[in-house]
Amino acid sequence: MSLHSKLWLAIIGLLLIVFSGSFLVSTLSAKSYLQQQITMKNADNAAALALSLTQQGADDVLLELTLSAQFDTGFYELIELRDPEGKLKILRQDEHPVEGVPVWFMSLFPINVEDGVASVQSGWQQVGTLTLRSHSKFAYQRLWESAQILAAIFLAAMIVSGLIGGQVLKRILKPLDDVVNQARAIGERRFISIPEPSTLEFRQVVQAMNELSARIKQMLSQEAKRLQKWQQEAHVDKVTGLNNREPFMKSVEAALESDDVNATGSLSLIRLTRLAELNQLFGRATMDSVLRAIGQELNRITMAHSRWAASRLNGSDFAVLAPRAMDPLDAATQARDAIRGVLEKHSIDDREILLPTATTIYAHGDTIRKILTRLDGALLSNEREGATSISIAYEGDIQVQPIRQQLEDWRGILTQSFRERNFYLEFFPLVGLNNQLIHQEGLARLNWKGNHLAAGLFLPWINRLELSADLDKQVVELALQAIQSQDQPVCINLSVAAVVEADFVPWLNDRLAVNRDNAQRLWLEVPEAMAFRHLEMFKLLCTRIRSHGCKIGIEHVGHQLADLGKLHDIGVDYLKIDASFVRDLDANVANQTLLRTLCTVGHSIGLEVYAEGVRSEAEKASLREVGVDGLSGPGVSRG
């Protein structure tokens, strides 16, 4: 039984005791007063009647007529006359039961009064003794009416007191509800703080829990800063603040192997020519400041887009990875113009400094070797010719269809596929360290005229055509059906549309409510960039789906380590480390240190930490050593 119910019962019991006591005292007082008044009335009436009979001469016939007349008035229960020897001469008695008053009430509050007694005389001779008793039915009726009025008043007072007490109780217990909600949130790994209540006992509890939440938040923030610092020291060029070549190439490789919206995009190379001459002409310190400014501008461009990245590949070559960019000139133009602007700002004549630029579109299934080969060729050709335009490197020197034409083609394909429900899920296991199944990760696939297309081929076009929410809905339906048929937990990836579109969360809430049993084995995850970019809406999504028993996680973790401190009050269940940090982990000590700390931080607040994109046994061994809880990727199976 809850404290609220117990307090209510205590209040009701207390009110019953108080009002019952008051009712009893009032009724007994009224009864005592009526008894006293009737006793006095009996004595007075008996004396008055005896005197009247004495004055009438005490004739037997006249006595009987007078007493009968008095009895017939209905005010007397008993009139009795006995001679001096005690022999009964006249008796008039009303034996009818009292009407309008419950028997139990008369038994509970009996009215016991003394009879009125007086002597009847004829001259100096005593004729007899007169006994008279007024009828108690009037007293009972009056007492019953009083009791009913008193009970009604007390009942109304109890109701009013209960209503007032309920409001007071609600106000008093409101801080307790907040404390319970805070404790429940902490149990769900949402370390929230609430205002301190005025009640001393509640305030002490809230203070302790707020201190716990504050310490967790501070710990997460501090560890996030440490992680970011280590990441910068290991992955970032100290002069420009851009990614070094190795981590950047890992990101490119992970994008090429990804099976999501980032599987298609553009990769651009920009070369700052005559850098050695500029160092001699302007001095190394000046050129370092130029390079630093170039790095800041390129970082500004990439930070505006999730998963974009920029790198200083060597002394004079810069690269920009732009996932989801369908026009190769877009990112390349922004990067080249940014570098040119920095040179102009530092009074370096950009007419003498060429910025040969090459860009290409990469797609799912490409290899990093092929992409770099065609980029290098286009860049060398551009540099030899002294061209100022941007060279677009096409695969096999065959230009692809214009973006607009491709867009229309894909619009037709996707519209028909949604109508015919041609999408399906292909499952890949995420296993624990003992090879036990944690969940099946369901990746979207498209069956188009017998060709089974991977998500990396059609997701970029779905994103560009703003059909992501429609695909998310179909994927949720497919996952719930798979859970029903396979009886295994299923994990699916949601797009940014699931976070930002207003109608998706209510739709998801309704679908999970209808499929409550299956919903408890559904795992949902969103990309790191989208979770932190739309944090408040992501919190709302987490709150809604956790109420149905679903698990919620963040995938592709590792690119925004500084934001990990924001997870303290969200309540996610797990993190999935991005594949770019898993690549050749066994040979990368810096990434081992980074992931070991990330796992420690996640475990400290009750999160599971999984790795995605695992390819080799060496990577598996290193991941086990750093402390991850599960593995997924092309090198993972349950066999």
Side-chain angles (χ1 to χ4, degrees), residues 570-597:
I570 295 180
V572 297
D573 295 290
Y574 64 94
L575 305 174
K576 279 188 178 178
I577 301 170
D578 187 68
S580 62
F581 296 94
V582 177
R583 289 287 174 273
D584 302 320
L585 182 65
D586 51 298
N588 193 323
V589 177
N591 275 355
Q592 290 177 16
T593 303
L594 189 70
L595 297 191
R596 183 178 290 107
T597 305

Short mmCIF file of all heavy atoms in Angstrom, two decimals, residues 570-597:
data_model
loop_
_atom_site.label_atom_id
_atom_site.label_comp_id
_atom_site.label_asym_id
_atom_site.label_seq_id
_atom_site.Cartn_x
_atom_site.Cartn_y
_atom_site.Cartn_z
N ILE A 570 19.50 11.65 -20.18
CA ILE A 570 18.73 11.17 -21.33
C ILE A 570 18.18 9.76 -21.08
O ILE A 570 17.03 9.47 -21.36
CB ILE A 570 19.58 11.19 -22.60
CG1 ILE A 570 19.93 12.64 -22.96
CG2 ILE A 570 18.86 10.53 -23.77
CD1 ILE A 570 20.78 12.77 -24.20
N GLY A 571 19.02 8.87 -20.56
CA GLY A 571 18.55 7.53 -20.26
C GLY A 571 18.71 6.53 -21.38
O GLY A 571 17.88 5.64 -21.54
N VAL A 572 19.79 6.67 -22.18
CA VAL A 572 20.02 5.67 -23.23
C VAL A 572 20.53 4.38 -22.59
O VAL A 572 21.04 4.37 -21.46
CB VAL A 572 21.03 6.17 -24.28
CG1 VAL A 572 20.48 7.38 -25.01
CG2 VAL A 572 22.37 6.51 -23.64
N ASP A 573 20.38 3.27 -23.32
CA ASP A 573 20.76 1.97 -22.79
C ASP A 573 22.14 1.52 -23.24
O ASP A 573 22.79 0.74 -22.55
CB ASP A 573 19.74 0.91 -23.22
CG ASP A 573 18.37 1.17 -22.62
OD1 ASP A 573 18.23 1.00 -21.40
OD2 ASP A 573 17.45 1.57 -23.36
N TYR A 574 22.57 1.97 -24.40
CA TYR A 574 23.86 1.48 -24.90
C TYR A 574 24.45 2.46 -25.91
O TYR A 574 23.76 3.34 -26.44
CB TYR A 574 23.69 0.10 -25.55
CG TYR A 574 22.81 0.08 -26.78
CD1 TYR A 574 23.36 0.19 -28.06
CD2 TYR A 574 21.43 -0.05 -26.67
CE1 TYR A 574 22.56 0.17 -29.19
CE2 TYR A 574 20.62 -0.08 -27.79
CZ TYR A 574 21.19 0.03 -29.05
OH TYR A 574 20.39 0.02 -30.17
N LEU A 575 25.74 2.27 -26.15
CA LEU A 575 26.48 3.03 -27.16
C LEU A 575 27.13 2.04 -28.13
O LEU A 575 27.57 0.97 -27.73
CB LEU A 575 27.57 3.89 -26.51
CG LEU A 575 27.14 4.86 -25.40
CD1 LEU A 575 28.38 5.51 -24.78
CD2 LEU A 575 26.19 5.91 -25.92
N LYS A 576 27.19 2.43 -29.42
CA LYS A 576 27.89 1.63 -30.41
C LYS A 576 29.04 2.44 -30.98
O LYS A 576 28.82 3.51 -31.56
CB LYS A 576 26.94 1.19 -31.53
CG LYS A 576 26.10 -0.02 -31.19
CD LYS A 576 25.34 -0.53 -32.39
CE LYS A 576 24.53 -1.77 -32.04
NZ LYS A 576 23.73 -2.25 -33.20
N ILE A 577 30.24 1.95 -30.78
CA ILE A 577 31.44 2.65 -31.22
C ILE A 577 31.54 2.59 -32.74
O ILE A 577 31.35 1.54 -33.35
CB ILE A 577 32.69 2.03 -30.59
CG1 ILE A 577 32.59 2.10 -29.05
CG2 ILE A 577 33.95 2.72 -31.06
CD1 ILE A 577 33.66 1.29 -28.34
N ASP A 578 31.83 3.72 -33.35
CA ASP A 578 31.91 3.81 -34.81
C ASP A 578 33.03 2.91 -35.35
O ASP A 578 34.09 2.74 -34.72
CB ASP A 578 32.15 5.25 -35.23
CG ASP A 578 32.07 5.42 -36.73
OD1 ASP A 578 30.97 5.27 -37.28
OD2 ASP A 578 33.11 5.68 -37.35
N ALA A 579 32.77 2.36 -36.53
CA ALA A 579 33.73 1.42 -37.14
C ALA A 579 35.08 2.05 -37.41
O ALA A 579 36.11 1.35 -37.42
CB ALA A 579 33.13 0.87 -38.44
N SER A 580 35.13 3.37 -37.63
CA SER A 580 36.41 4.00 -37.93
C SER A 580 37.39 3.90 -36.76
O SER A 580 38.61 3.95 -36.96
CB SER A 580 36.20 5.47 -38.31
OG SER A 580 35.63 6.20 -37.24
N PHE A 581 36.88 3.77 -35.53
CA PHE A 581 37.76 3.62 -34.37
C PHE A 581 38.13 2.17 -34.13
O PHE A 581 39.04 1.88 -33.35
CB PHE A 581 37.08 4.19 -33.12
CG PHE A 581 36.82 5.66 -33.20
CD1 PHE A 581 35.60 6.15 -33.65
CD2 PHE A 581 37.79 6.58 -32.84
CE1 PHE A 581 35.35 7.51 -33.74
CE2 PHE A 581 37.55 7.95 -32.93
CZ PHE A 581 36.33 8.41 -33.39
N VAL A 582 37.41 1.26 -34.78
CA VAL A 582 37.68 -0.17 -34.61
C VAL A 582 38.70 -0.66 -35.64
O VAL A 582 39.40 -1.65 -35.39
CB VAL A 582 36.35 -0.96 -34.74
CG1 VAL A 582 36.58 -2.46 -34.64
CG2 VAL A 582 35.36 -0.50 -33.67
N ARG A 583 38.81 0.06 -36.78
CA ARG A 583 39.73 -0.35 -37.85
C ARG A 583 41.15 -0.54 -37.31
O ARG A 583 41.74 0.38 -36.75
CB ARG A 583 39.76 0.70 -38.96
CG ARG A 583 38.53 0.79 -39.79
CD ARG A 583 38.40 -0.40 -40.74
NE ARG A 583 37.12 -0.35 -41.42
CZ ARG A 583 36.01 -0.87 -40.94
NH1 ARG A 583 36.02 -1.51 -39.80
NH2 ARG A 583 34.88 -0.79 -41.62
N ASP A 584 41.67 -1.76 -37.47
CA ASP A 584 43.06 -2.07 -37.06
C ASP A 584 43.35 -1.63 -35.64
O ASP A 584 44.43 -1.10 -35.33
CB ASP A 584 44.05 -1.41 -38.03
CG ASP A 584 43.82 -1.84 -39.47
OD1 ASP A 584 43.55 -3.04 -39.69
OD2 ASP A 584 43.90 -0.98 -40.37
N LEU A 585 42.39 -1.85 -34.75
CA LEU A 585 42.55 -1.42 -33.35
C LEU A 585 43.75 -2.10 -32.71
O LEU A 585 44.42 -1.50 -31.85
CB LEU A 585 41.27 -1.74 -32.57
CG LEU A 585 41.26 -1.32 -31.10
CD1 LEU A 585 41.33 0.20 -30.97
CD2 LEU A 585 40.01 -1.85 -30.39
N ASP A 586 44.05 -3.31 -33.11
CA ASP A 586 45.15 -4.05 -32.50
C ASP A 586 46.49 -3.36 -32.73
O ASP A 586 47.44 -3.55 -31.96
CB ASP A 586 45.20 -5.46 -33.07
CG ASP A 586 45.19 -5.47 -34.60
OD1 ASP A 586 44.18 -4.99 -35.18
OD2 ASP A 586 46.17 -5.92 -35.21
N ALA A 587 46.58 -2.51 -33.78
CA ALA A 587 47.83 -1.81 -34.09
C ALA A 587 47.78 -0.34 -33.74
O ALA A 587 48.73 0.39 -34.03
CB ALA A 587 48.16 -1.97 -35.58
N ASN A 588 46.71 0.10 -33.11
CA ASN A 588 46.54 1.52 -32.81
C ASN A 588 46.41 1.71 -31.31
O ASN A 588 45.32 1.59 -30.73
CB ASN A 588 45.29 2.06 -33.53
CG ASN A 588 45.23 3.58 -33.53
OD1 ASN A 588 45.61 4.23 -32.57
ND2 ASN A 588 44.75 4.13 -34.63
N VAL A 589 47.52 2.01 -30.65
CA VAL A 589 47.54 2.15 -29.18
C VAL A 589 46.69 3.34 -28.73
O VAL A 589 46.01 3.27 -27.71
CB VAL A 589 48.99 2.30 -28.68
CG1 VAL A 589 49.02 2.52 -27.17
CG2 VAL A 589 49.82 1.08 -29.05
N ALA A 590 46.72 4.42 -29.51
CA ALA A 590 45.95 5.61 -29.13
C ALA A 590 44.45 5.30 -29.09
O ALA A 590 43.75 5.70 -28.14
CB ALA A 590 46.23 6.75 -30.11
N ASN A 591 43.98 4.59 -30.11
CA ASN A 591 42.56 4.24 -30.12
C ASN A 591 42.21 3.23 -29.03
O ASN A 591 41.10 3.25 -28.48
CB ASN A 591 42.16 3.67 -31.49
CG ASN A 591 41.82 4.77 -32.48
OD1 ASN A 591 41.79 5.95 -32.13
ND2 ASN A 591 41.57 4.39 -33.72
N GLN A 592 43.14 2.36 -28.69
CA GLN A 592 42.90 1.44 -27.58
C GLN A 592 42.68 2.20 -26.27
O GLN A 592 41.76 1.91 -25.51
CB GLN A 592 44.08 0.47 -27.44
CG GLN A 592 44.20 -0.54 -28.56
CD GLN A 592 45.43 -1.42 -28.41
OE1 GLN A 592 46.03 -1.49 -27.33
NE2 GLN A 592 45.84 -2.09 -29.49
N THR A 593 43.54 3.18 -26.03
CA THR A 593 43.38 4.00 -24.81
C THR A 593 42.06 4.76 -24.84
O THR A 593 41.35 4.84 -23.83
CB THR A 593 44.56 4.99 -24.71
OG1 THR A 593 45.79 4.27 -24.70
CG2 THR A 593 44.44 5.82 -23.43
N LEU A 594 41.73 5.29 -26.01
CA LEU A 594 40.50 6.05 -26.15
C LEU A 594 39.27 5.18 -25.86
O LEU A 594 38.39 5.55 -25.07
CB LEU A 594 40.42 6.62 -27.56
CG LEU A 594 39.30 7.62 -27.86
CD1 LEU A 594 39.55 8.92 -27.14
CD2 LEU A 594 39.19 7.85 -29.35
N LEU A 595 39.22 4.00 -26.46
CA LEU A 595 38.05 3.13 -26.30
C LEU A 595 37.99 2.53 -24.90
O LEU A 595 36.90 2.31 -24.37
CB LEU A 595 38.07 2.02 -27.35
CG LEU A 595 37.97 2.47 -28.80
CD1 LEU A 595 37.74 1.28 -29.72
CD2 LEU A 595 36.86 3.49 -28.99
N ARG A 596 39.14 2.26 -24.31
CA ARG A 596 39.15 1.74 -22.94
C ARG A 596 38.52 2.76 -21.98
O ARG A 596 37.70 2.40 -21.11
CB ARG A 596 40.57 1.41 -22.50
CG ARG A 596 40.64 0.78 -21.10
CD ARG A 596 42.06 0.42 -20.73
NE ARG A 596 42.56 -0.72 -21.52
CZ ARG A 596 43.45 -0.64 -22.49
NH1 ARG A 596 43.98 0.55 -22.79
NH2 ARG A 596 43.83 -1.70 -23.16
N THR A 597 38.87 4.01 -22.15
CA THR A 597 38.29 5.05 -21.29
C THR A 597 36.80 5.24 -21.59
O THR A 597 35.99 5.42 -20.68
CB THR A 597 39.03 6.39 -21.51
OG1 THR A 597 40.43 6.18 -21.28
CG2 THR A 597 38.53 7.44 -20.55
#
